[in-house]
Amino acid sequence: MIVRVAEGTLRTKFGTYQQFLYYDGQKETIALVMGDVADHENVLCRVHSQCIHGHVFNSIECDCREQMEMSQRLIQDAGRGVIVWLDQEGKNNGHMALLLSRKLKDEGIPQSEAYVKLGYSSDARSYTRAAEILRDLRVRSITLLTNNADKLTQLREDGLVIAGTQSLEQERKHS
């Protein structure tokens, strides 16, 4: 069970968000909310996993930062939306797994397969906390900003109503 423990305002280059900090006894999760989302349908929503390389060190080896920026821009344009930031580095295998998999990835092995070769899960991410947060925010249904079909499936299995999806890949082509 996840509990809301703090909140405050966050000004970004894409507008001002209300940020809510949640805690499940092990990990913190942040929800950034722009506009009024309670009791609304088709709310734009990005469920985003942490990526220290992309978000902190500006790596060009992944598109994590770009996906976050596209999501923030779309939410700003809509005037309403939610970003749920999950602490799930390295597809929730951790940063060590990410670093160890680097050599295999450089040899052309996809990230998920590299994790498996090293004894990790191909993708250990869970979106249950995101579903719980969206229920706490009283969002009726979302339009999920994603390129990940598994995320969509998991969120539906967790009881979220997903009115539709918007591919960030297509958004990149229109930018």
Side-chain angles (χ1 to χ4, degrees), residues 56-107:
V56 176
F57 301 123
N58 297 304
S59 172
I60 59 172
E61 297 174 358
C62 68
D63 62 357
C64 297
R65 180 188 229 39
E66 184 180 22
Q67 287 180 9
M68 177 59 77
E69 287 185 0
M70 283 187 286
S71 298
Q72 286 182 285
R73 187 173 293 113
L74 289 167
I75 288 170
Q76 180 184 37
D77 291 348
R80 170 180 317 162
V82 178
I83 296 169
V84 179
W85 177 274
L86 298 167
D87 179 8
Q88 300 191 131
E89 181 74 24
K91 294 192 177 188
N92 210 24
N93 289 312
H95 196 70
M96 186 169 80
L98 185 64
L99 288 175
L100 293 174
S101 69
R102 183 62 208 200
K103 183 177 182 212
L104 296 171
K105 194 173 174 195
D106 286 346
E107 293 171 5

Side-chain angles (χ1 to χ4, degrees), residues 3 30 35-36 43 90 100 111 126:
V3 177
I30 299 167
D36 181 16
V43 173
L100 293 174
Q111 188 74 56
S126 169

Side-chain angles (χ1 to χ4, degrees), residues 1-78:
M1 180 174 164
I2 197 155
V3 177
R4 189 188 301 188
V5 294
E7 60 186 79
T9 302
L10 178 67
R11 293 187 318 250
T12 76
K13 66 182 184 179
F14 299 102
T16 300
Y17 287 85
Q18 191 67 19
Q19 72 177 312
F20 299 93
L21 179 65
Y22 291 85
Y23 186 65
D24 68 0
Q26 295 182 351
K27 290 187 175 188
E28 295 178 340
T29 303
I30 299 167
L32 297 180
V33 178
M34 180 175 280
D36 181 16
V37 298
D39 301 317
H40 285 274
E41 296 180 350
N42 302 320
V43 173
L44 286 180
C45 179
R46 172 73 183 162
V47 176
H48 195 87
S49 295
Q50 166 183 306
C51 172
I52 195 166
H53 285 158
H55 296 289
V56 176
F57 301 123
N58 297 304
S59 172
I60 59 172
E61 297 174 358
C62 68
D63 62 357
C64 297
R65 180 188 229 39
E66 184 180 22
Q67 287 180 9
M68 177 59 77
E69 287 185 0
M70 283 187 286
S71 298
Q72 286 182 285
R73 187 173 293 113
L74 289 167
I75 288 170
Q76 180 184 37
D77 291 348

Side-chain angles (χ1 to χ4, degrees), residues 168-175:
L168 292 177
E169 186 62 36
Q170 286 186 337
E171 189 61 33
R172 179 184 306 144
K173 292 176 185 175
H174 290 107
S175 296

